[in-house]
Amino acid sequence: MCGSGVFYDLASELDGEGHAVLRDERQFVVAIVGAGHGGANAAIALRQVGFKGPIRLISADPNLPYERPPLSKEYLLGEKDSERLLIRPASFWTERGIELLLGEQVKAVDAAAHRLTTTSANTIEYGQLIWAAGGETRRLSCSGHDLVGVHSLRSRSDADAFLAELAHVTTAVIVGAGYIGLEAAAALIKHGKSVIVLEAQDRVLARVAAEPLSRFVEAEHRHRGVEVRLGTQVDCIIGDERVTGVRLAGGEVIGCELVLVGIGIDPAIGPLREAGAEVGNGIVVDAQCRTSLPDVFAIGDCALHPSRFSSAGPVRLESVQNAADQASVVAKAIMGSDAVYDAMPWFWSNQYDLKLQTVGLAAGHDEVVVRGEPATRSFSVIYLRHGRVIALDCVNATKDYVQGRKLILSKTQVKAEDLASADNRLADMISP
Ligand code: FAD
């Protein structure tokens, strides 16, 4: 273990009369499971707020902590190399005395004993545990789902495996028209591939956006040469060892050399659920990201948390902002602060030259306004509830994004017709 002695005298402290009091080292250890955006930022934040005890950052991923968003964008396009994905350089972790246990999967949590067990049979004791295990990509369950050439895109090794095959690919099929599938489609088009996107719903981005944005994004992809097939179910993947095509529910076969499955993630909650934590669509946490287990926090993609921005009850968000901001709250909570997680959700996606920025949470909206003209390729889709703006999807419209955020916070009653005209500044609609 590196660093613990440097930061804290773990073995003893002096009591009021100057006698050494033996302390159990475990009390001071923060173990963090998962070294993605949540876990890595929790370790960084702990040092920033002055935590001096040992930090053990344990991750199943063998790589140094890295950023995931570029995996379906710049990394796939060859515009960013693996070094530039790193959340911090290698030296940072050693200098801060943060112990990295990489390539180690935690398989069990004993909450009463404050102990973790990893797949290589190591046991790790902790005083406080931060569960930041993210999510696992959903796989197809049909035959052929495990053929060579069928990919998902969550980790760096997923992206490397995908890139390693590209030279031999003429046609790629992407299953799922969510953000990751569409970003990958844009990258593949730039690589000169023939791309077919299959989506079971009747529009792209159906889970996250309103129809006007879906139709705009769909048109954009079609214009760039992507074949978008909506309302389309996959029957199975065909091939011997390697994929040669995708059979659709109607029997049609689309020939291809590569399939990317982008149908979402399931939160990685197994060991905590088995340890007795309360779970729903994620690990249930309070406003400080505390789980129902003593001294156990959960953050990031796996945490189901309360949010004043949600009109649909607790939410589980999959975004860098959410993971990083929750990490910061937990670090403060461990240091005894009563700070709570209250950040406004935001998200971004880049496809071709489109910069999509989302702020707020649209679920529960009762009105949608298109602001500006989609044909100009700069516009926003605004979501209202009871006459107040609750979220915006901004396309090449950063001003709307910045001012819209303030409009959401202000809870001002606004008229749809005022919002619709891009000539009216959103900032001017905020009541004093
Ligand atoms: P992760 O970053 O997934 O980290 C979890 C880590 O835990 C993983 O390294 C995993 O290996 C490890 N782990 C899991 N189980 C265990 C275990 N039992 N033991 C040990 N380790 C374990 N968000 C945006 O806001 N904007 C974007 O543009 C964007 N683009 C994205 C593009 C891609 C390709 C992907 C995959 C995600 C993208 N996201 C984007 C989402 C964003 O990356 C996630 O929301 C964020 O990474 C969540 O952080 P996390 O720490 O909760 O989980």
Side-chain angles (χ1 to χ4, degrees), residues 33-39 58-61 68-69 71-73 104-106 132-134 153-154 180 300-301 318-320 323 347-348:
V33 177
H37 284 275
I58 309 147
S59 192
D61 195 309
R68 281 176 211 279
L71 295 179
S72 50
K73 307 177 185 76
E104 279 280 359
Q105 176 140 14
V106 171
L153 190 49
R154 178 80 192 169
I180 290 177
D301 284 12
E318 295 169 16
S319 75
V320 169
F347 182 84
W348 80 95

PDB file of all heavy atoms in Angstrom, residues 33-39 58-61 68-69 71-73 104-106 132-134 153-154 180 300-301 318-320 323 347-348, ligand 1:
ATOM      1  N   VAL A  33     -15.068   1.605  -4.965  1.00  0.00           N
ATOM      2  CA  VAL A  33     -15.191   0.533  -5.967  1.00  0.00           C
ATOM      3  C   VAL A  33     -15.603   1.165  -7.287  1.00  0.00           C
ATOM      4  O   VAL A  33     -16.692   1.733  -7.405  1.00  0.00           O
ATOM      5  CB  VAL A  33     -16.207  -0.533  -5.522  1.00  0.00           C
ATOM      6  CG1 VAL A  33     -16.366  -1.595  -6.613  1.00  0.00           C
ATOM      7  CG2 VAL A  33     -15.751  -1.159  -4.225  1.00  0.00           C
ATOM      8  N   GLY A  34     -14.709   1.052  -8.266  1.00  0.00           N
ATOM      9  CA  GLY A  34     -14.937   1.664  -9.567  1.00  0.00           C
ATOM     10  C   GLY A  34     -14.070   2.902  -9.702  1.00  0.00           C
ATOM     11  O   GLY A  34     -14.142   3.803  -8.869  1.00  0.00           O
ATOM     12  N   ALA A  35     -13.225   2.920 -10.741  1.00  0.00           N
ATOM     13  CA  ALA A  35     -12.336   4.076 -10.942  1.00  0.00           C
ATOM     14  C   ALA A  35     -12.710   4.819 -12.214  1.00  0.00           C
ATOM     15  O   ALA A  35     -11.856   5.253 -12.980  1.00  0.00           O
ATOM     16  CB  ALA A  35     -10.885   3.626 -10.978  1.00  0.00           C
ATOM     17  N   GLY A  36     -14.019   4.937 -12.447  1.00  0.00           N
ATOM     18  CA  GLY A  36     -14.499   5.729 -13.588  1.00  0.00           C
ATOM     19  C   GLY A  36     -14.675   7.175 -13.157  1.00  0.00           C
ATOM     20  O   GLY A  36     -13.999   7.657 -12.237  1.00  0.00           O
ATOM     21  N   HIS A  37     -15.616   7.863 -13.786  1.00  0.00           N
ATOM     22  CA  HIS A  37     -15.792   9.288 -13.489  1.00  0.00           C
ATOM     23  C   HIS A  37     -16.171   9.520 -12.031  1.00  0.00           C
ATOM     24  O   HIS A  37     -15.714  10.472 -11.409  1.00  0.00           O
ATOM     25  CB  HIS A  37     -16.844   9.889 -14.418  1.00  0.00           C
ATOM     26  CG  HIS A  37     -16.307  10.104 -15.788  1.00  0.00           C
ATOM     27  ND1 HIS A  37     -15.605  11.226 -16.137  1.00  0.00           N
ATOM     28  CD2 HIS A  37     -16.327   9.319 -16.889  1.00  0.00           C
ATOM     29  CE1 HIS A  37     -15.229  11.130 -17.395  1.00  0.00           C
ATOM     30  NE2 HIS A  37     -15.653   9.986 -17.886  1.00  0.00           N
ATOM     31  N   GLY A  38     -17.012   8.654 -11.482  1.00  0.00           N
ATOM     32  CA  GLY A  38     -17.417   8.823 -10.094  1.00  0.00           C
ATOM     33  C   GLY A  38     -16.280   8.487  -9.140  1.00  0.00           C
ATOM     34  O   GLY A  38     -15.879   9.310  -8.304  1.00  0.00           O
ATOM     35  N   GLY A  39     -15.742   7.280  -9.259  1.00  0.00           N
ATOM     36  CA  GLY A  39     -14.724   6.798  -8.325  1.00  0.00           C
ATOM     37  C   GLY A  39     -13.464   7.635  -8.350  1.00  0.00           C
ATOM     38  O   GLY A  39     -12.945   8.056  -7.296  1.00  0.00           O
ATOM     39  N   ILE A  58     -10.428   0.806  -6.282  1.00  0.00           N
ATOM     40  CA  ILE A  58     -10.406  -0.564  -6.814  1.00  0.00           C
ATOM     41  C   ILE A  58     -11.245  -0.609  -8.079  1.00  0.00           C
ATOM     42  O   ILE A  58     -12.399  -0.180  -8.070  1.00  0.00           O
ATOM     43  CB  ILE A  58     -11.047  -1.538  -5.795  1.00  0.00           C
ATOM     44  CG1 ILE A  58     -10.411  -1.340  -4.416  1.00  0.00           C
ATOM     45  CG2 ILE A  58     -10.947  -2.990  -6.269  1.00  0.00           C
ATOM     46  CD1 ILE A  58     -11.380  -1.584  -3.284  1.00  0.00           C
ATOM     47  N   SER A  59     -10.679  -1.116  -9.157  1.00  0.00           N
ATOM     48  CA  SER A  59     -11.492  -1.162 -10.368  1.00  0.00           C
ATOM     49  C   SER A  59     -11.239  -2.409 -11.182  1.00  0.00           C
ATOM     50  O   SER A  59     -10.105  -2.856 -11.329  1.00  0.00           O
ATOM     51  CB  SER A  59     -11.234   0.068 -11.235  1.00  0.00           C
ATOM     52  OG  SER A  59     -12.221   0.114 -12.245  1.00  0.00           O
ATOM     53  N   ALA A  60     -12.319  -2.954 -11.714  1.00  0.00           N
ATOM     54  CA  ALA A  60     -12.220  -4.133 -12.574  1.00  0.00           C
ATOM     55  C   ALA A  60     -11.461  -3.783 -13.853  1.00  0.00           C
ATOM     56  O   ALA A  60     -10.817  -4.641 -14.458  1.00  0.00           O
ATOM     57  CB  ALA A  60     -13.635  -4.620 -12.907  1.00  0.00           C
ATOM     58  N   ASP A  61     -11.537  -2.528 -14.246  1.00  0.00           N
ATOM     59  CA  ASP A  61     -10.851  -2.098 -15.470  1.00  0.00           C
ATOM     60  C   ASP A  61      -9.351  -2.027 -15.193  1.00  0.00           C
ATOM     61  O   ASP A  61      -8.934  -1.416 -14.212  1.00  0.00           O
ATOM     62  CB  ASP A  61     -11.386  -0.715 -15.879  1.00  0.00           C
ATOM     63  CG  ASP A  61     -11.020  -0.358 -17.300  1.00  0.00           C
ATOM     64  OD1 ASP A  61      -9.823  -0.463 -17.647  1.00  0.00           O
ATOM     65  OD2 ASP A  61     -11.916   0.015 -18.069  1.00  0.00           O
ATOM     66  N   ARG A  68     -14.766   8.433 -20.334  1.00  0.00           N
ATOM     67  CA  ARG A  68     -15.503   7.587 -21.279  1.00  0.00           C
ATOM     68  C   ARG A  68     -16.102   8.336 -22.475  1.00  0.00           C
ATOM     69  O   ARG A  68     -16.155   7.778 -23.574  1.00  0.00           O
ATOM     70  CB  ARG A  68     -16.648   6.869 -20.566  1.00  0.00           C
ATOM     71  CG  ARG A  68     -16.145   5.695 -19.807  1.00  0.00           C
ATOM     72  CD  ARG A  68     -17.218   4.989 -18.986  1.00  0.00           C
ATOM     73  NE  ARG A  68     -16.552   4.441 -17.832  1.00  0.00           N
ATOM     74  CZ  ARG A  68     -15.878   3.305 -17.833  1.00  0.00           C
ATOM     75  NH1 ARG A  68     -15.838   2.572 -18.913  1.00  0.00           N
ATOM     76  NH2 ARG A  68     -15.264   2.882 -16.755  1.00  0.00           N
ATOM     77  N   PRO A  69     -16.570   9.583 -22.317  1.00  0.00           N
ATOM     78  CA  PRO A  69     -17.237  10.211 -23.462  1.00  0.00           C
ATOM     79  C   PRO A  69     -16.446  10.178 -24.771  1.00  0.00           C
ATOM     80  O   PRO A  69     -17.033   9.927 -25.836  1.00  0.00           O
ATOM     81  CB  PRO A  69     -17.502  11.645 -22.966  1.00  0.00           C
ATOM     82  CG  PRO A  69     -17.723  11.458 -21.494  1.00  0.00           C
ATOM     83  CD  PRO A  69     -16.711  10.405 -21.094  1.00  0.00           C
ATOM     84  N   LEU A  71     -14.740   7.928 -25.973  1.00  0.00           N
ATOM     85  CA  LEU A  71     -14.667   6.585 -26.570  1.00  0.00           C
ATOM     86  C   LEU A  71     -15.582   6.466 -27.790  1.00  0.00           C
ATOM     87  O   LEU A  71     -15.288   5.719 -28.720  1.00  0.00           O
ATOM     88  CB  LEU A  71     -15.054   5.508 -25.543  1.00  0.00           C
ATOM     89  CG  LEU A  71     -14.117   5.352 -24.338  1.00  0.00           C
ATOM     90  CD1 LEU A  71     -14.638   4.272 -23.401  1.00  0.00           C
ATOM     91  CD2 LEU A  71     -12.686   5.038 -24.788  1.00  0.00           C
ATOM     92  N   SER A  72     -16.700   7.179 -27.781  1.00  0.00           N
ATOM     93  CA  SER A  72     -17.603   7.106 -28.937  1.00  0.00           C
ATOM     94  C   SER A  72     -17.463   8.354 -29.814  1.00  0.00           C
ATOM     95  O   SER A  72     -18.262   8.548 -30.728  1.00  0.00           O
ATOM     96  CB  SER A  72     -19.048   6.970 -28.451  1.00  0.00           C
ATOM     97  OG  SER A  72     -19.347   7.963 -27.481  1.00  0.00           O
ATOM     98  N   LYS A  73     -16.467   9.178 -29.503  1.00  0.00           N
ATOM     99  CA  LYS A  73     -16.290  10.431 -30.260  1.00  0.00           C
ATOM    100  C   LYS A  73     -14.837  10.515 -30.740  1.00  0.00           C
ATOM    101  O   LYS A  73     -14.454   9.777 -31.646  1.00  0.00           O
ATOM    102  CB  LYS A  73     -16.656  11.637 -29.370  1.00  0.00           C
ATOM    103  CG  LYS A  73     -18.053  11.534 -28.737  1.00  0.00           C
ATOM    104  CD  LYS A  73     -18.324  12.720 -27.809  1.00  0.00           C
ATOM    105  CE  LYS A  73     -19.654  12.601 -27.074  1.00  0.00           C
ATOM    106  NZ  LYS A  73     -19.645  11.645 -25.960  1.00  0.00           N
ATOM    107  N   GLU A 104      -9.118  -5.499 -10.615  1.00  0.00           N
ATOM    108  CA  GLU A 104      -9.657  -6.241  -9.452  1.00  0.00           C
ATOM    109  C   GLU A 104     -11.163  -6.021  -9.383  1.00  0.00           C
ATOM    110  O   GLU A 104     -11.612  -4.880  -9.224  1.00  0.00           O
ATOM    111  CB  GLU A 104      -9.063  -5.700  -8.145  1.00  0.00           C
ATOM    112  CG  GLU A 104      -7.706  -6.216  -7.801  1.00  0.00           C
ATOM    113  CD  GLU A 104      -7.719  -7.601  -7.175  1.00  0.00           C
ATOM    114  OE1 GLU A 104      -8.807  -8.189  -6.987  1.00  0.00           O
ATOM    115  OE2 GLU A 104      -6.629  -8.104  -6.887  1.00  0.00           O
ATOM    116  N   GLN A 105     -11.911  -7.065  -9.485  1.00  0.00           N
ATOM    117  CA  GLN A 105     -13.374  -6.936  -9.405  1.00  0.00           C
ATOM    118  C   GLN A 105     -13.860  -7.283  -8.003  1.00  0.00           C
ATOM    119  O   GLN A 105     -13.510  -8.346  -7.479  1.00  0.00           O
ATOM    120  CB  GLN A 105     -14.012  -7.873 -10.423  1.00  0.00           C
ATOM    121  CG  GLN A 105     -15.514  -7.880 -10.329  1.00  0.00           C
ATOM    122  CD  GLN A 105     -16.173  -7.930 -11.673  1.00  0.00           C
ATOM    123  OE1 GLN A 105     -15.525  -8.210 -12.671  1.00  0.00           O
ATOM    124  NE2 GLN A 105     -17.452  -7.677 -11.725  1.00  0.00           N
ATOM    125  N   VAL A 106     -14.637  -6.424  -7.424  1.00  0.00           N
ATOM    126  CA  VAL A 106     -15.196  -6.723  -6.105  1.00  0.00           C
ATOM    127  C   VAL A 106     -16.412  -7.612  -6.302  1.00  0.00           C
ATOM    128  O   VAL A 106     -17.327  -7.275  -7.044  1.00  0.00           O
ATOM    129  CB  VAL A 106     -15.588  -5.421  -5.372  1.00  0.00           C
ATOM    130  CG1 VAL A 106     -16.369  -5.714  -4.111  1.00  0.00           C
ATOM    131  CG2 VAL A 106     -14.332  -4.617  -5.048  1.00  0.00           C
ATOM    132  N   ALA A 132     -18.986   3.011  -6.760  1.00  0.00           N
ATOM    133  CA  ALA A 132     -19.050   3.833  -7.983  1.00  0.00           C
ATOM    134  C   ALA A 132     -18.814   2.913  -9.176  1.00  0.00           C
ATOM    135  O   ALA A 132     -17.937   3.144 -10.003  1.00  0.00           O
ATOM    136  CB  ALA A 132     -17.995   4.930  -7.918  1.00  0.00           C
ATOM    137  N   ALA A 133     -19.621   1.852  -9.222  1.00  0.00           N
ATOM    138  CA  ALA A 133     -19.352   0.763 -10.181  1.00  0.00           C
ATOM    139  C   ALA A 133     -20.039   0.956 -11.533  1.00  0.00           C
ATOM    140  O   ALA A 133     -19.926   0.105 -12.413  1.00  0.00           O
ATOM    141  CB  ALA A 133     -19.746  -0.574  -9.562  1.00  0.00           C
ATOM    142  N   GLY A 134     -20.737   2.077 -11.711  1.00  0.00           N
ATOM    143  CA  GLY A 134     -21.282   2.383 -13.043  1.00  0.00           C
ATOM    144  C   GLY A 134     -22.338   1.403 -13.497  1.00  0.00           C
ATOM    145  O   GLY A 134     -23.255   1.048 -12.741  1.00  0.00           O
ATOM    146  N   LEU A 153     -19.843  -0.830 -26.351  1.00  0.00           N
ATOM    147  CA  LEU A 153     -18.901   0.272 -26.213  1.00  0.00           C
ATOM    148  C   LEU A 153     -19.079   0.933 -24.854  1.00  0.00           C
ATOM    149  O   LEU A 153     -19.888   1.827 -24.680  1.00  0.00           O
ATOM    150  CB  LEU A 153     -19.147   1.288 -27.347  1.00  0.00           C
ATOM    151  CG  LEU A 153     -18.137   2.413 -27.542  1.00  0.00           C
ATOM    152  CD1 LEU A 153     -16.714   1.905 -27.572  1.00  0.00           C
ATOM    153  CD2 LEU A 153     -18.445   3.169 -28.823  1.00  0.00           C
ATOM    154  N   ARG A 154     -18.327   0.432 -23.890  1.00  0.00           N
ATOM    155  CA  ARG A 154     -18.391   1.012 -22.551  1.00  0.00           C
ATOM    156  C   ARG A 154     -16.990   1.365 -22.043  1.00  0.00           C
ATOM    157  O   ARG A 154     -16.787   2.369 -21.423  1.00  0.00           O
ATOM    158  CB  ARG A 154     -19.068   0.006 -21.606  1.00  0.00           C
ATOM    159  CG  ARG A 154     -19.171   0.446 -20.157  1.00  0.00           C
ATOM    160  CD  ARG A 154     -20.337   1.394 -19.946  1.00  0.00           C
ATOM    161  NE  ARG A 154     -20.288   2.030 -18.639  1.00  0.00           N
ATOM    162  CZ  ARG A 154     -21.045   3.046 -18.274  1.00  0.00           C
ATOM    163  NH1 ARG A 154     -21.920   3.557 -19.121  1.00  0.00           N
ATOM    164  NH2 ARG A 154     -20.937   3.574 -17.089  1.00  0.00           N
ATOM    165  N   ILE A 180     -25.025   6.808 -27.703  1.00  0.00           N
ATOM    166  CA  ILE A 180     -23.769   6.117 -28.028  1.00  0.00           C
ATOM    167  C   ILE A 180     -23.826   5.524 -29.431  1.00  0.00           C
ATOM    168  O   ILE A 180     -22.888   5.656 -30.222  1.00  0.00           O
ATOM    169  CB  ILE A 180     -23.436   5.077 -26.937  1.00  0.00           C
ATOM    170  CG1 ILE A 180     -23.039   5.839 -25.670  1.00  0.00           C
ATOM    171  CG2 ILE A 180     -22.308   4.133 -27.380  1.00  0.00           C
ATOM    172  CD1 ILE A 180     -22.752   4.989 -24.468  1.00  0.00           C
ATOM    173  N   GLY A 300     -22.917   8.099  -9.051  1.00  0.00           N
ATOM    174  CA  GLY A 300     -22.768   7.905 -10.491  1.00  0.00           C
ATOM    175  C   GLY A 300     -23.893   7.106 -11.111  1.00  0.00           C
ATOM    176  O   GLY A 300     -25.032   7.093 -10.623  1.00  0.00           O
ATOM    177  N   ASP A 301     -23.569   6.418 -12.189  1.00  0.00           N
ATOM    178  CA  ASP A 301     -24.577   5.723 -12.993  1.00  0.00           C
ATOM    179  C   ASP A 301     -25.393   4.698 -12.210  1.00  0.00           C
ATOM    180  O   ASP A 301     -26.469   4.300 -12.648  1.00  0.00           O
ATOM    181  CB  ASP A 301     -23.891   4.976 -14.156  1.00  0.00           C
ATOM    182  CG  ASP A 301     -23.461   5.909 -15.282  1.00  0.00           C
ATOM    183  OD1 ASP A 301     -23.471   7.138 -15.080  1.00  0.00           O
ATOM    184  OD2 ASP A 301     -23.105   5.401 -16.363  1.00  0.00           O
ATOM    185  N   GLU A 318     -27.146   8.973 -16.093  1.00  0.00           N
ATOM    186  CA  GLU A 318     -25.919   8.455 -16.701  1.00  0.00           C
ATOM    187  C   GLU A 318     -25.197   9.623 -17.344  1.00  0.00           C
ATOM    188  O   GLU A 318     -25.371   9.909 -18.526  1.00  0.00           O
ATOM    189  CB  GLU A 318     -26.268   7.380 -17.727  1.00  0.00           C
ATOM    190  CG  GLU A 318     -26.901   6.152 -17.089  1.00  0.00           C
ATOM    191  CD  GLU A 318     -27.500   5.177 -18.100  1.00  0.00           C
ATOM    192  OE1 GLU A 318     -27.178   5.280 -19.306  1.00  0.00           O
ATOM    193  OE2 GLU A 318     -28.293   4.329 -17.678  1.00  0.00           O
ATOM    194  N   SER A 319     -24.441  10.349 -16.568  1.00  0.00           N
ATOM    195  CA  SER A 319     -23.702  11.487 -17.121  1.00  0.00           C
ATOM    196  C   SER A 319     -22.461  11.761 -16.279  1.00  0.00           C
ATOM    197  O   SER A 319     -22.413  11.455 -15.082  1.00  0.00           O
ATOM    198  CB  SER A 319     -24.581  12.735 -17.160  1.00  0.00           C
ATOM    199  OG  SER A 319     -24.733  13.259 -15.868  1.00  0.00           O
ATOM    200  N   VAL A 320     -21.496  12.357 -16.924  1.00  0.00           N
ATOM    201  CA  VAL A 320     -20.246  12.719 -16.250  1.00  0.00           C
ATOM    202  C   VAL A 320     -20.526  13.733 -15.143  1.00  0.00           C
ATOM    203  O   VAL A 320     -20.000  13.627 -14.034  1.00  0.00           O
ATOM    204  CB  VAL A 320     -19.262  13.296 -17.290  1.00  0.00           C
ATOM    205  CG1 VAL A 320     -18.072  13.936 -16.606  1.00  0.00           C
ATOM    206  CG2 VAL A 320     -18.802  12.195 -18.240  1.00  0.00           C
ATOM    207  N   ALA A 323     -21.919  11.997 -12.021  1.00  0.00           N
ATOM    208  CA  ALA A 323     -20.916  11.192 -11.310  1.00  0.00           C
ATOM    209  C   ALA A 323     -19.918  12.093 -10.582  1.00  0.00           C
ATOM    210  O   ALA A 323     -19.600  11.866  -9.409  1.00  0.00           O
ATOM    211  CB  ALA A 323     -20.194  10.273 -12.299  1.00  0.00           C
ATOM    212  N   PHE A 347     -25.830  17.425 -19.766  1.00  0.00           N
ATOM    213  CA  PHE A 347     -25.298  16.339 -20.576  1.00  0.00           C
ATOM    214  C   PHE A 347     -24.935  16.927 -21.938  1.00  0.00           C
ATOM    215  O   PHE A 347     -25.480  17.940 -22.347  1.00  0.00           O
ATOM    216  CB  PHE A 347     -26.401  15.276 -20.740  1.00  0.00           C
ATOM    217  CG  PHE A 347     -25.966  14.068 -21.517  1.00  0.00           C
ATOM    218  CD1 PHE A 347     -25.305  13.031 -20.888  1.00  0.00           C
ATOM    219  CD2 PHE A 347     -26.220  13.969 -22.884  1.00  0.00           C
ATOM    220  CE1 PHE A 347     -24.892  11.908 -21.602  1.00  0.00           C
ATOM    221  CE2 PHE A 347     -25.811  12.856 -23.604  1.00  0.00           C
ATOM    222  CZ  PHE A 347     -25.152  11.832 -22.963  1.00  0.00           C
ATOM    223  N   TRP A 348     -24.012  16.273 -22.646  1.00  0.00           N
ATOM    224  CA  TRP A 348     -23.722  16.738 -24.005  1.00  0.00           C
ATOM    225  C   TRP A 348     -23.497  15.541 -24.921  1.00  0.00           C
ATOM    226  O   TRP A 348     -23.242  14.427 -24.470  1.00  0.00           O
ATOM    227  CB  TRP A 348     -22.491  17.630 -24.013  1.00  0.00           C
ATOM    228  CG  TRP A 348     -21.198  16.868 -23.996  1.00  0.00           C
ATOM    229  CD1 TRP A 348     -20.438  16.512 -25.071  1.00  0.00           C
ATOM    230  CD2 TRP A 348     -20.527  16.316 -22.840  1.00  0.00           C
ATOM    231  NE1 TRP A 348     -19.331  15.799 -24.647  1.00  0.00           N
ATOM    232  CE2 TRP A 348     -19.369  15.664 -23.290  1.00  0.00           C
ATOM    233  CE3 TRP A 348     -20.811  16.318 -21.471  1.00  0.00           C
ATOM    234  CZ2 TRP A 348     -18.481  15.015 -22.430  1.00  0.00           C
ATOM    235  CZ3 TRP A 348     -19.934  15.663 -20.613  1.00  0.00           C
ATOM    236  CH2 TRP A 348     -18.790  15.034 -21.090  1.00  0.00           C
TER     237      TRP A 348
HETATM  238  P1  FAD B   1     -18.069   4.381 -14.870  1.00  0.00           P
HETATM  239  O1  FAD B   1     -17.364   5.552 -15.434  1.00  0.00           O
HETATM  240  O2  FAD B   1     -18.665   3.394 -15.801  1.00  0.00           O
HETATM  241  O3  FAD B   1     -17.062   3.634 -13.903  1.00  0.00           O
HETATM  242  C1  FAD B   1     -17.402   2.451 -13.249  1.00  0.00           C
HETATM  243  C2  FAD B   1     -16.164   1.614 -13.066  1.00  0.00           C
HETATM  244  O4  FAD B   1     -16.446   0.598 -12.108  1.00  0.00           O
HETATM  245  C3  FAD B   1     -15.731   0.871 -14.309  1.00  0.00           C
HETATM  246  O5  FAD B   1     -14.383   1.130 -14.562  1.00  0.00           O
HETATM  247  C4  FAD B   1     -15.959  -0.586 -14.000  1.00  0.00           C
HETATM  248  O6  FAD B   1     -14.994  -1.433 -14.599  1.00  0.00           O
HETATM  249  C5  FAD B   1     -15.825  -0.606 -12.492  1.00  0.00           C
HETATM  250  N1  FAD B   1     -16.535  -1.697 -11.839  1.00  0.00           N
HETATM  251  C6  FAD B   1     -17.800  -2.126 -12.054  1.00  0.00           C
HETATM  252  N2  FAD B   1     -18.123  -3.128 -11.210  1.00  0.00           N
HETATM  253  C7  FAD B   1     -17.048  -3.329 -10.435  1.00  0.00           C
HETATM  254  C8  FAD B   1     -16.764  -4.219  -9.379  1.00  0.00           C
HETATM  255  N3  FAD B   1     -17.654  -5.097  -8.933  1.00  0.00           N
HETATM  256  N4  FAD B   1     -15.527  -4.198  -8.821  1.00  0.00           N
HETATM  257  C9  FAD B   1     -14.584  -3.299  -9.260  1.00  0.00           C
HETATM  258  N5  FAD B   1     -14.824  -2.414 -10.253  1.00  0.00           N
HETATM  259  C10 FAD B   1     -16.023  -2.432 -10.826  1.00  0.00           C
HETATM  260  N6  FAD B   1     -21.764  11.214 -20.364  1.00  0.00           N
HETATM  261  C11 FAD B   1     -21.859  12.543 -20.628  1.00  0.00           C
HETATM  262  O7  FAD B   1     -22.203  13.308 -19.714  1.00  0.00           O
HETATM  263  N7  FAD B   1     -21.598  13.021 -21.889  1.00  0.00           N
HETATM  264  C12 FAD B   1     -21.195  12.213 -22.891  1.00  0.00           C
HETATM  265  O8  FAD B   1     -20.947  12.682 -24.001  1.00  0.00           O
HETATM  266  C13 FAD B   1     -21.047  10.826 -22.636  1.00  0.00           C
HETATM  267  N8  FAD B   1     -20.618   9.980 -23.599  1.00  0.00           N
HETATM  268  C14 FAD B   1     -20.400   8.667 -23.285  1.00  0.00           C
HETATM  269  C15 FAD B   1     -19.853   7.823 -24.258  1.00  0.00           C
HETATM  270  C16 FAD B   1     -19.603   6.490 -23.953  1.00  0.00           C
HETATM  271  C17 FAD B   1     -19.015   5.597 -24.990  1.00  0.00           C
HETATM  272  C18 FAD B   1     -19.934   5.979 -22.669  1.00  0.00           C
HETATM  273  C19 FAD B   1     -19.676   4.539 -22.348  1.00  0.00           C
HETATM  274  C20 FAD B   1     -20.485   6.804 -21.714  1.00  0.00           C
HETATM  275  C21 FAD B   1     -20.711   8.152 -22.006  1.00  0.00           C
HETATM  276  N9  FAD B   1     -21.242   9.028 -21.065  1.00  0.00           N
HETATM  277  C22 FAD B   1     -21.363  10.361 -21.342  1.00  0.00           C
HETATM  278  C23 FAD B   1     -21.670   8.532 -19.752  1.00  0.00           C
HETATM  279  C24 FAD B   1     -20.596   8.707 -18.719  1.00  0.00           C
HETATM  280  O9  FAD B   1     -19.367   8.241 -19.189  1.00  0.00           O
HETATM  281  C25 FAD B   1     -21.022   7.947 -17.462  1.00  0.00           C
HETATM  282  O10 FAD B   1     -22.209   8.533 -16.999  1.00  0.00           O
HETATM  283  C26 FAD B   1     -19.938   7.997 -16.399  1.00  0.00           C
HETATM  284  O11 FAD B   1     -18.799   7.315 -16.830  1.00  0.00           O
HETATM  285  C27 FAD B   1     -20.463   7.391 -15.111  1.00  0.00           C
HETATM  286  O12 FAD B   1     -19.442   7.323 -14.183  1.00  0.00           O
HETATM  287  P2  FAD B   1     -19.436   6.154 -13.087  1.00  0.00           P
HETATM  288  O13 FAD B   1     -18.230   6.388 -12.253  1.00  0.00           O
HETATM  289  O14 FAD B   1     -20.758   6.067 -12.465  1.00  0.00           O
HETATM  290  O15 FAD B   1     -19.260   4.822 -13.920  1.00  0.00           O
END
